[in-house]
Amino acid sequence: MTSKSPQPVTFKPSGPLTGKISVPGDKSISHRALILSALAIGKSRISGLLEGEDVLATADALRAMGAKVEKKDDVWTVYGVGVGGLMQPDKALDMGNSGTSTRLLMGLVASHGITATFIGDASLSKRPMGRVIDPLSEMGADIHARETADHKACLPLTVRGLCPAVPLEYRLPVASAQVKSAMLLAGLNTPGITRIIEPVLTRDHSETMLKGFGAQISVETDAEGCRVISLTGEAELQPQKIKVPGDPSSAAFLVVAALITPGSDIVVENVGINPTRAGLFEVLQTMGGDISFRKKRTVGGEPVADIHVKHSALSGIVVPGDIAPSMIDEFPILFIAAALADGKTTTSGLSELRVKESDRLSQMAKGLRLLGVDVTEREDGLTIIGSSGKLLVGSTGKKMIETALDHRIAMSFAVAGLMTKSGVAIDDITPAQTSFPEFENLIAALASR
Ligand code: S3P
């Protein structure tokens, strides 16, 4: 990825948000749609694909490994090379800011007889890769990563795949859909059964889509209540036509914007509401948010609905720690909702947020304080005292919010700007391009109706 110069923007109060809109395609499903299509034999078609930088990084990497990936009239066509058919890329794969691209593609390379080097931006290069290196090495891949001063394995790293790899039974030590998916992708080209034991349920898009492509995969619950996912390799995948639903993690910013801004009444159409992703909506409803789901339907095995949201007086709550995996990307925007709620919101069980695109607990605490919010940072969560719907002070001029190359920090504080006296200046809006390039336009469109 080419690095862009930072683009500071100030987000100001806008009046009520009204109207009907839709958000771009789901990021997680878009990555998986491209990857599985590249592994099928023949031509798959994908509509609604997110054209954010993260997903485009996955598309470029798949091209570099031999798949033909092209776009015409809003439909993406992927000519897959078949499981086992990937070619060795002739240069390093640039993953930009995308942890999902990196971890999933590491799994893919691990069981092919090829070698690939992964590089990324400053944020991605700080993120821990040991969690995927461990199981993939047990399957036989030879992986060399840069070791940081605190002994973390980070990018740049090189994966030398083993073909055939060794099937593994592995209990996930962290609740991570990326680790689970990396192993499933490695398992596709591995003879025998790759089995993953998941003590805490994480997003299940890989399992659903693998079934859709015709892989032999079963999901059971064991005596201890863990999910046990068994995949039989070497798989043959059939090309598919995929419709990617709108991303609930992007819709989240508009939902919270409407909840906190007086007079707002919006509908976000065609949003994925898979229960492994929809925790934020449940938490906001518990806080008193007027959120309802219309026209519930299933698209490509994924539950989808139109989400109707009206401005609401929110109350602070204790957010149960066990809901975290189903809203792991939504805490930054939940913290903004909490900052405008009545009373105290307490969150816990969030140490994973410290290893996302930024340390999201510390970046959010710092930014909220700049806006005049009373916030306490603990190792695994934040406690926030809300303003009961009163405008926050804001932060403009030199006191800019530090985005730290994190799209969700940038967009969360942009939403907070709607409910401040003076607005919120953020130091860089360009990270929004990774997952939600239309963000600024959509907020402006809702504000001008
Ligand atoms: C993702 C899984 C989550 C999430 C990320 C996307 C995926 O990461 O934070 O934005 O597509 O599998 P972890 O699996 O590391 O929690």
Side-chain angles (χ1 to χ4, degrees):
M1 306 283 111
T2 46
S3 60
K4 299 160 294 228
S5 30
Q7 213 180 293
V9 187
T10 300
F11 288 87
K12 296 210 164 121
S14 71
L17 304 179
T18 54
K20 247 187 209 178
I21 42 152
S22 46
V23 287
D26 187 277
K27 180 155 78 70
S28 292
I29 296 177
S30 295
H31 284 296
R32 288 154 172 84
L34 286 172
I35 294 173
L36 294 188
S37 297
L39 293 176
I41 301 172
K43 177 164 125 185
S44 291
R45 288 169 167 275
I46 310 168
S47 57
L49 188 88
L50 169 65
E51 294 176 13
E53 287 170 354
D54 281 13
V55 174
L56 299 179
T58 291
D60 281 346
L62 292 169
R63 284 190 190 106
M65 292 190 280
K68 190 163 144 200
V69 183
E70 53 186 37
K71 183 192 172 190
K72 206 176 156 207
D73 303 331
D74 288 341
V75 177
W76 286 73
T77 305
V78 181
Y79 298 84
V81 295
V83 170
L86 292 179
M87 284 171 0
Q88 171 135 344
D90 60 11
K91 56 180 193 312
L93 303 175
D94 189 346
M95 304 282 94
N97 187 255
S98 180
T100 310
S101 309
T102 309
R103 294 184 175 132
L104 269 53
L105 294 173
M106 282 172 68
L108 201 62
V109 171
S111 62
H112 279 73
I114 60 174
T115 298
T117 295
F118 294 81
I119 58 172
D121 72 4
S123 150
L124 182 59
S125 302
K126 281 190 234 153
R127 298 183 64 186
M129 295 297 151
R131 55 183 63 196
V132 262
I133 294 175
D134 291 347
L136 296 177
S137 304
E138 281 193 54
M139 292 179 80
D142 183 19
I143 305 178
H144 290 274
R146 178 178 66 89
E147 194 178 307
T148 61
D150 52 350
H151 305 293
K152 270 195 319 198
C154 290
L155 261 52
L157 63 76
T158 300
V159 181
R160 179 141 61 95
L162 178 69
C163 184
V166 185
L168 182 67
E169 175 169 316
Y170 190 70
R171 191 183 174 90
L172 290 180
V174 272
S176 168
Q178 293 180 351
V179 178
K180 169 174 69 177
S181 303
M183 291 194 61
L184 288 171
L185 291 171
L188 280 175
N189 196 36
T190 302
I193 295 179
T194 296
R195 185 166 286 131
I196 300 145
I197 301 164
E198 190 178 49
V200 179
L201 174 62
T202 64
R203 65 190 69 192
D204 59 0
H205 307 302
S206 297
E207 296 91 305
T208 303
M209 203 181 284
L210 278 163
K211 267 184 214 144
F213 272 81
Q216 240 182 290
I217 178 167
S218 70
V219 181
E220 282 152 6
T221 305
D222 71 10
E224 292 162 31
C226 299
R227 275 174 100 242
V228 181
I229 305 147
S230 307
L231 173 79
T232 306
E234 300 149 311
E236 208 172 280
L237 303 184
Q238 308 305 322
Q240 299 297 309
K241 274 197 182 142
I242 302 168
K243 267 194 194 163
V244 181
D247 196 328
S249 300
S250 297
F253 297 105
L254 307 181
V255 168
V256 170
L259 282 177
I260 62 174
T261 310
S264 297
D265 186 338
I266 67 166
V267 175
V268 191
E269 295 177 306
N270 187 37
V271 182
I273 53 162
N274 182 319
T276 63
R277 296 285 299 285
L280 174 75
F281 304 132
E282 200 182 314
V283 167
L284 291 171
Q285 281 172 329
T286 310
M287 292 172 80
D290 185 343
I291 301 175
S292 52
F293 299 92
R294 294 176 173 176
K295 297 192 204 151
K296 285 191 182 175
R297 56 218 187 251
T298 302
V299 179
E302 292 282 346
V304 170
D306 298 347
I307 306 184
H308 183 198
V309 190
K310 289 190 202 162
H311 166 256
S312 310
L314 300 175
S315 305
I317 61 166
V318 175
V319 179
D322 61 4
I323 204 167
S326 67
M327 55 177 291
I328 196 67
D329 292 334
E330 280 66 75
F331 281 95
I333 192 63
L334 173 70
F335 296 147
I336 301 299
L340 285 143
D342 180 26
K344 178 156 95 175
T345 297
T346 306
T347 56
S348 59
L350 304 182
S351 44
E352 268 296 298
L353 295 199
R354 297 202 180 274
V355 291
K356 294 292 180 189
E357 286 82 332
S358 69
D359 175 340
R360 287 183 172 162
L361 292 179
S362 119
Q363 290 302 130
M364 287 303 299
K366 250 196 276 180
L368 284 168
R369 279 191 201 111
L370 268 187
L371 305 194
V373 177
D374 178 349
V375 47
T376 310
E377 180 180 347
R378 285 170 290 98
E379 192 42 45
D380 74 335
L382 299 186
T383 301
I384 294 169
I385 312 289
S387 72
S388 307
K390 288 194 207 73
L391 293 182
L392 306 174
V393 180
S395 105
T396 47
K398 288 217 171 83
K399 288 201 310 179
M400 284 198 208
I401 299 288
E402 217 181 86
T403 303
L405 290 176
D406 187 330
H407 51 141
R408 301 203 197 278
I409 301 288
M411 291 186 279
S412 296
F413 282 106
V415 168
L418 300 173
M419 280 301 286
T420 52
K421 291 181 190 143
S422 57
V424 171
I426 62 171
D427 67 355
D428 187 13
I429 191 63
T430 61
Q433 296 295 324
T434 63
S435 67
F436 195 175
E438 295 83 346
F439 171 75
E440 277 183 277
N441 289 343
L442 289 183
I443 291 273
L446 288 171
S448 66
R449 291 178 206 200

